[in-house]
Amino acid sequence: WVYEGVIDDPYGEFFIAEDKSLLKESLTQDYDAKYWRQRYSLKDGIPSFLANIAGKILTTGKYLNVMRECGHSAQVPTSENSKLLSFGSNHHYLECVKVAYEFASGELLNLIKERYDLMGKLRSIKRYLLLDQGDFLVHFMDIAREELMKQLDEITVEKLQERSSLLKRMATLKGVEIKTSSDSVDLEQPVSITGLETFSLSYKVQWPLSIVISRKALTKYQMVFRLLFHCKHVERQLCGAWQVHQGARAFNASGTAISRSSLLCRSMLKFINSLLHYLTFEVLEPNWHVMHNRLQTAKSIDEVIQHHDFFLDKCLRECLLHLPDLLKKVERLKSLCLQYAAATQWLISSSIDLPKLEEPSDGFSGSEKFKRLKLRSLSQVQKVMIRDATVTESILKFEREFNNELQSLGPILSSSSQAEPYLTHLAQLVLGVGFDK
C-alpha cells in the first residue's frame, strides 16, 4: 500500500478499508464526491504504534493508487522499500513512511499539474464560466436570444437542463451555508421564468482532474456563471434602451418625459455596471489571484483541493449567493431594469411621435387645406397631451419603484456588512456613497 498503492488483504486484517462500489467515474456525477473521501478509509483498531501516522499512510496509498488508475507507473525507489522490511527499535519506519508520502505526493501533484494541465483547465473555466473572455458572450446572446426568451416548458431538456431559479437552486445545494435575516424570505420559484434566468454552461472534466474539479466544484462555478450571465443580459437590455434615448436626441426633448426617462436609464445602467464591477473586479479577480498563487506553492493534491474549494466558497459568499435576503433584493432591481428596458421603445416612440401635418391629396383649394390641417392638428395635439401624461406616469412609476428598491438595499447592506465587511465595497459602488456601520 505505501509503495505501490495496492491493498492485498484477503482476510480483512489491514487497517485500511476499500469500498469497491465507489468508482472514480462518480466524481463527475456525485455532488458529495464520496469517491475521494470514502473509497479508502481507516478502520477502527489501528495499531497503537501507527496511530500518529495512519492518516499519512492512508493518503500515501491513495496518491499512488490515483497514478496507477492513470496508467502512470509510479513506485517508491526500491532502496527505500527495503528499509521498511528491516526495522529495529529506533522507529525509523516513521521516516520510511514520510519519505514514501513525500514521493507519492510530489509525483501525483506533478502529474496533474504537468501532464493533465490543471492550471490550464482552471483558466479555461475562468474564461467561460466566470466570463473572463466576455466577447464570446456577446455573439452567444445574439444567436440564442430567441430561444432563451422562451418559458421553461417551451425549451427542450437537451438545450436547458436547469429548471429552477438561481435563488431556489442555491437553497437546495447540500453543504452550502445560506444566511437569512428573517424566516419570511420567499424562496419560491417566480411565476414567470425564462431560459435567461436558468441558462448555464457545463464543463467536461476527465479523471484525474475530476478529483479537484468535482461535480460539487463545477456546480459552484455554474451558480456564479448564472448570476454573471443574467447581469450581463440586464446590462445589454439597458444599453439598448440607452441607444433608443440617444437616437431621440435629434428631437428637442428637454424638460419632457423623454429627458426624465433618460435620467432613469442612466441610473439603472449605473446600478448594473456597479454590480458587475463589484462581482468581477472586487470579488472574482482578486480571489482568483490569491488561489493561483497558493496553488503554485501547494505540496499535495489535497492542498490543491482545499485552496480551490476555499476560492469557490469565498466567491459564492462575496457574490451574495449565500445571502438570499440580499440576493432577492438584487433580483428585484434587475427585474425592474428589464421591465423598463422592454417598455422603453414604446415610451420613447410615444413621446416623440408628434403629429405630422402632411399635405392632403390634390383636389382641395388652399383654404380647405388650411381648415383640414387646423382641425386635424387640434385633435392630434389633444391625443398627444393624453398620451404624454400616460408616458410620464409610466416613467415616474418605474422611477419610484426603482428608487424605493435601491434605497431599501442600503439598510440590508449596512446590517449585513457588520458580519460581512466586503459588502461595504458593494454599498459604496451601488449606492454611490459610504455609510456608517
Side-chain angles (χ1 to χ4, degrees):
W1 175 252
V2 169
Y3 290 127
E4 296 178 27
V6 176
I7 289 181
D8 181 14
D9 185 24
Y11 302 106
E13 297 170 316
F14 192 39
F15 62 88
I16 292 176
E18 179 181 11
D19 184 349
K20 293 184 178 179
S21 68
L22 293 174
L23 304 175
K24 63 179 183 290
E25 290 77 16
S26 68
L27 281 169
T28 58
Q29 303 297 328
D30 176 23
Y31 184 82
D32 291 324
K34 291 190 185 79
Y35 176 87
W36 188 244
R37 294 182 295 105
Q38 299 176 20
R39 168 77 183 203
Y40 299 101
S41 58
L42 294 173
K43 297 179 184 175
D44 293 331
I46 298 169
S48 58
F49 69 96
L50 294 176
N52 291 334
I53 58 166
K56 191 161 281 189
I57 291 171
L58 172 67
T59 305
T60 302
K62 274 174 66 176
Y63 290 171
L64 291 168
N65 187 266
V66 169
M67 287 185 277
R68 285 170 55 83
E69 291 278 358
C70 295
H72 181 70
S73 177
Q75 193 170 342
V76 178
T78 19
S79 57
E80 291 296 332
N81 194 330
S82 59
K83 289 181 183 177
L84 195 56
L85 301 177
S86 56
F87 59 85
S89 58
N90 61 356
H91 295 177
H92 79 277
Y93 61 87
L94 297 174
E95 185 62 29
C96 293
V97 169
K98 182 184 175 186
V99 169
Y101 168 78
E102 288 175 353
F103 169 82
S105 181
E107 281 286 305
L108 178 58
L109 196 58
N110 187 59
L111 181 74
I112 286 181
K113 278 187 172 182
E114 300 302 324
R115 189 203 282 188
Y116 292 96
D117 190 22
L118 172 65
M119 290 312 302
K121 296 297 187 295
L122 289 177
R123 277 192 292 269
S124 179
I125 290 175
K126 179 176 185 267
R127 193 170 294 131
Y128 291 101
L129 268 70
L130 300 185
L131 302 190
D132 195 39
Q133 185 173 318
D135 53 348
F136 92 93
L137 198 65
V138 176
H139 301 301
F140 175 79
M141 283 180 159
D142 286 339
I143 295 166
R145 184 177 181 277
E146 187 177 338
E147 191 74 17
L148 291 174
M149 292 292 283
K150 293 179 182 177
Q151 297 295 310
L152 284 188
D153 53 1
E154 297 174 6
I155 305 176
T156 59
V157 176
E158 289 78 9
K159 292 179 180 175
L160 187 75
Q161 295 187 9
E162 186 62 70
R163 317 299 288 185
S164 58
S165 68
L166 179 60
L167 198 58
K168 189 173 182 181
R169 182 74 179 98
M170 281 302 302
T172 59
L173 290 185
K174 295 180 188 174
V176 174
E177 182 187 5
I178 301 293
K179 296 179 182 177
T180 60
S181 60
S182 66
D183 296 330
S184 61
V185 179
D186 179 18
L187 299 179
E188 288 301 311
Q189 186 103 318
V191 176
S192 175
I193 185 169
T194 66
L196 286 161
E197 285 83 32
T198 62
F199 174 74
S200 181
L201 294 177
S202 190
Y203 194 89
K204 200 168 186 179
V205 184
Q206 303 289 352
W207 169 269
L209 291 177
S210 52
I211 295 171
V212 179
I213 311 167
S214 62
R215 172 75 261 167
K216 186 172 188 175
L218 193 56
T219 301
K220 291 177 180 179
Y221 274 115
Q222 288 173 323
M223 295 300 100
V224 177
F225 171 85
R226 287 178 61 180
L227 177 62
L228 289 173
F229 180 80
H230 196 249
C231 286
K232 286 283 188 182
H233 167 65
V234 175
E235 181 192 40
R236 246 169 95 76
Q237 298 306 106
L238 286 173
C239 283
W242 180 251
Q243 286 174 348
V244 171
H245 281 90
Q246 295 302 95
R249 290 182 68 181
F251 299 88
N252 186 12
S254 179
T256 64
I258 192 170
S259 61
R260 187 102 188 206
S261 179
S262 180
L263 289 173
L264 176 58
C265 189
R266 195 158 57 186
S267 295
M268 288 182 167
L269 267 171
K270 178 182 180 296
F271 161 73
I272 199 66
N273 286 333
S274 298
L275 179 60
L276 276 167
H277 176 91
Y278 167 77
L279 294 173
T280 52
F281 296 108
E282 299 278 336
V283 177
L284 298 177
E285 279 298 327
N287 284 326
W288 167 269
H289 286 295
V290 169
M291 178 191 71
H292 182 272
N293 292 336
R294 286 175 175 171
L295 293 187
Q296 303 307 309
T297 57
K299 297 290 190 292
S300 70
I301 197 67
D302 279 303
E303 273 190 48
V304 169
I305 294 169
Q306 182 185 344
H307 294 321
H308 185 234
D309 287 348
F310 182 81
F311 160 74
L312 285 171
D313 289 335
K314 198 163 187 286
C315 287
L316 284 180
R317 188 169 66 253
E318 295 183 4
C319 285
L320 317 180
L321 293 168
H322 282 195
L323 302 167
D325 302 86
L326 201 47
L327 185 59
K328 190 176 180 185
K329 185 65 68 175
V330 169
E331 291 297 311
R332 172 64 183 149
L333 280 160
K334 287 195 293 174
S335 176
L336 281 171
C337 290
L338 287 175
Q339 291 171 36
Y340 166 77
T344 297
Q345 190 68 50
W346 171 80
L347 293 171
I348 300 302
S349 61
S350 295
S351 294
I352 64 176
D353 185 20
L354 300 175
K356 296 177 182 177
L357 305 181
E358 293 114 344
E359 287 289 330
S361 58
D362 293 338
F364 292 94
S365 65
S367 60
E368 287 174 328
K369 284 182 182 179
F370 179 78
K371 287 178 185 175
R372 285 175 61 83
L373 287 171
K374 189 175 180 182
L375 288 170
R376 188 176 170 193
S377 175
L378 287 170
S379 64
Q380 287 198 351
V381 166
Q382 288 176 338
K383 287 178 184 177
V384 167
M385 289 175 67
I386 295 168
R387 190 169 56 193
D388 274 353
T390 307
V391 170
T392 303
E393 181 51 39
S394 297
I395 292 169
L396 289 174
K397 184 173 182 291
F398 276 122
E399 191 180 77
R400 281 194 303 270
E401 290 186 23
F402 180 75
N403 288 338
N404 287 340
E405 291 291 342
L406 198 59
Q407 286 170 11
S408 66
L409 189 63
I412 298 175
L413 283 171
S414 180
S415 60
S416 300
S417 69
Q418 295 176 23
E420 313 286 351
Y422 54 85
L423 292 177
T424 307
H425 297 290
L426 177 60
Q428 290 169 345
L429 285 167
V430 171
L431 305 178
V433 291
F435 58 89
D436 294 326
K437 292 185 181 180

